[in-house]
């Protein structure tokens, strides 16, 4: 009977490409032939977590073994350091999706390395107070294909970053910046609205300081026609008139997490003000 390892390489590659991450990496332990096939086939890792100094060497080995990775998740890694990110960028230059949520030991030096990933389209940098405008700007400048930027809980990022987004975010479709009070301001909204990011579809700025003035800046800009999702929960300065204005965006599909199809056709603003009064989330 023919075993899996005896199948022609194209068939094995086809099987491997349809396996979940854990199954794919399990195949690599069968023999040398399989290890080499998986080494060149693997594009996605299971979630990796560097929780001790000893695991730093293991992550280096994994990175070096799988040079064609395009989707990497190293979130919640207490011992992930800037030099490992530099090594990742050097060995896996095809990365298009990178999640670094809650990697508290990383600094802007890691973002400078990431800026060399020219295929990068999606990045999550959330929950890291070391990242600043400088590092995120380098990512925006270097990663010209970037479509999704998540800087949630990056509390050192300020509204000045909006100038970099406006200039370099030409391909940006999603901007997620919850719990960034120094960034989620009217000034940032006005700058972004007047910039080059004309493809923006999803904008999330919960727990900021935006008001109706910022909503108006979006409404009179080209973004009025591209935005489909707007979320300003816990922005206490947005009033009933601001929500009524959001309802007038021609392609809006979701406001503060609520599908537009579920909202009343009139008095949208009153709905959200009442919701804020009841639940405190705007």
């Amino acid at each position: 009977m023919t075993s899996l390892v005896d199948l022609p390489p194209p068939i094995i590659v086809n099987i491997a490409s349809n396996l979940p991450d854990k199954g794919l990496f399990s195949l690599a332990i069968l023999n040398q032939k399989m290890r080499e096939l998986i080494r060149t086939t693997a594009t996605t890792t299971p979630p990796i977590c560097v929780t001790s100094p000893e695991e730093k060497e293991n992550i280096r080995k994994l990175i070096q073994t799988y040079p064609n990775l395009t989707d990497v998740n190293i979130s919640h890694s207490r011992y992930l350091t800037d030099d490992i990110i530099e090594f990742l960028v050097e060995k896996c230059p095809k990365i298009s999706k990178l999640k670094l949520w809650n990697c508290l030991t990383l600094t802007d030096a890691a973002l400078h390395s990431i800026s060399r990933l020219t295929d990068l389209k999606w990045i999550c940098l959330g929950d890291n107070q070391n990242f600043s405008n400088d590092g995120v700007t380098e990512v925006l400048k270097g990663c010209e294909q970037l479509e999704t930027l998540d800087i949630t809980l990056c509390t050192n990022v300020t509204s000045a970053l909006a100038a970099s987004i406006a200039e370099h975010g030409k391909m940006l479709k999603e901007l997620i910046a919850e719990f960034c009070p120094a960034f989620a301001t009217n000034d940032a909204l006005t700058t972004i609205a007047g910039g080059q990011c004309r493809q923006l579809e999803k904008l999330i700025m919960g727990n900021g300081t935006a008001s109706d003035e910022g909503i108006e800046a979006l409404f009179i800009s080209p973004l009025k026609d591209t935005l489909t999702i707007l979320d300003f929960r816990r922005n206490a300065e947005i009033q009933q008139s601001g929500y009524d204005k959001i309802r007038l965006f021609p392609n809006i599909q979701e406001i503060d997490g609520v599908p537009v199809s579920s909202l009343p056709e009139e008095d949208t603003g009153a709905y959200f003000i009442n919701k804020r009064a009841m639940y405190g989330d705007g």
Side-chain angles (χ1 to χ4, degrees), residues 131-183:
F131 294 151
S132 72
N133 295 351
D134 174 73
V136 181
T137 293
E138 286 303 306
V139 173
L140 287 161
K141 290 167 62 176
C143 305
E144 296 181 352
Q145 303 302 313
L146 194 65
E147 296 180 358
T148 297
L149 173 63
D150 187 342
I151 53 172
T152 295
L153 282 168
C154 290
T155 53
N156 263 344
V157 170
T158 72
S159 59
L161 177 66
S164 298
I165 295 172
E167 180 179 359
H168 303 291
K170 295 178 182 179
M171 304 297 290
L172 209 59
K173 295 181 179 180
E174 298 184 338
L175 175 59
I176 306 167
E178 286 199 277
F179 298 98
C180 298
F183 172 77

Side-chain angles (χ1 to χ4, degrees), residues 38-236:
I38 301 306
R39 189 186 79 83
T40 56
T41 301
T43 59
T44 305
T45 67
I48 306 162
C49 196
V50 186
T51 56
S52 69
E54 294 75 21
E55 289 178 350
K56 291 173 67 175
E57 189 56 34
N58 292 334
I59 184 72
R60 286 181 178 273
K61 290 179 180 177
L62 185 144
I63 290 169
Q64 190 146 17
T65 301
Y66 301 102
N68 293 316
L69 293 176
T70 61
D71 186 343
V72 179
N73 182 354
I74 325 181
S75 297
H76 305 291
S77 292
R78 291 179 56 197
Y79 290 90
L80 185 64
T81 51
D82 295 338
D83 61 300
I84 294 179
I85 296 298
E86 183 177 17
F87 187 73
L88 173 67
V89 171
E90 176 187 345
K91 298 298 181 181
C92 304
K94 300 178 182 179
I95 292 174
S96 61
K97 184 175 183 179
L98 181 60
K99 188 171 185 178
L100 297 172
W101 178 269
N102 189 233
C103 295
L104 302 180
T105 52
L106 295 181
T107 72
D108 280 348
L111 302 187
H112 282 252
S113 296
I114 290 168
S115 70
R116 302 199 302 271
L117 292 172
T118 55
D119 291 335
L120 192 67
K121 292 186 176 181
W122 188 101
I123 190 167
C124 174
L125 303 173
D127 197 13
N128 191 319
Q129 297 180 8
N130 292 329
F131 294 151
S132 72
N133 295 351
D134 174 73
V136 181
T137 293
E138 286 303 306
V139 173
L140 287 161
K141 290 167 62 176
C143 305
E144 296 181 352
Q145 303 302 313
L146 194 65
E147 296 180 358
T148 297
L149 173 63
D150 187 342
I151 53 172
T152 295
L153 282 168
C154 290
T155 53
N156 263 344
V157 170
T158 72
S159 59
L161 177 66
S164 298
I165 295 172
E167 180 179 359
H168 303 291
K170 295 178 182 179
M171 304 297 290
L172 209 59
K173 295 181 179 180
E174 298 184 338
L175 175 59
I176 306 167
E178 286 199 277
F179 298 98
C180 298
F183 172 77
T185 66
N186 288 334
D187 286 345
L189 288 172
T190 300
T191 301
I192 291 169
Q196 300 299 313
C197 39
R198 304 294 175 83
Q199 300 189 48
L200 197 62
E201 299 173 0
K202 180 178 181 179
L203 179 59
I204 298 180
M205 284 189 172
N207 208 68
T209 59
S211 70
D212 294 355
E213 179 184 336
I215 302 301
E216 180 65 24
L218 294 175
F219 188 76
I220 63 175
S221 78
L223 294 181
K224 172 186 176 182
D225 296 318
T226 64
L227 285 164
T228 60
I229 296 175
L230 277 170
D231 196 325
F232 289 101
R233 275 176 279 192
R234 299 173 300 276
N235 280 257

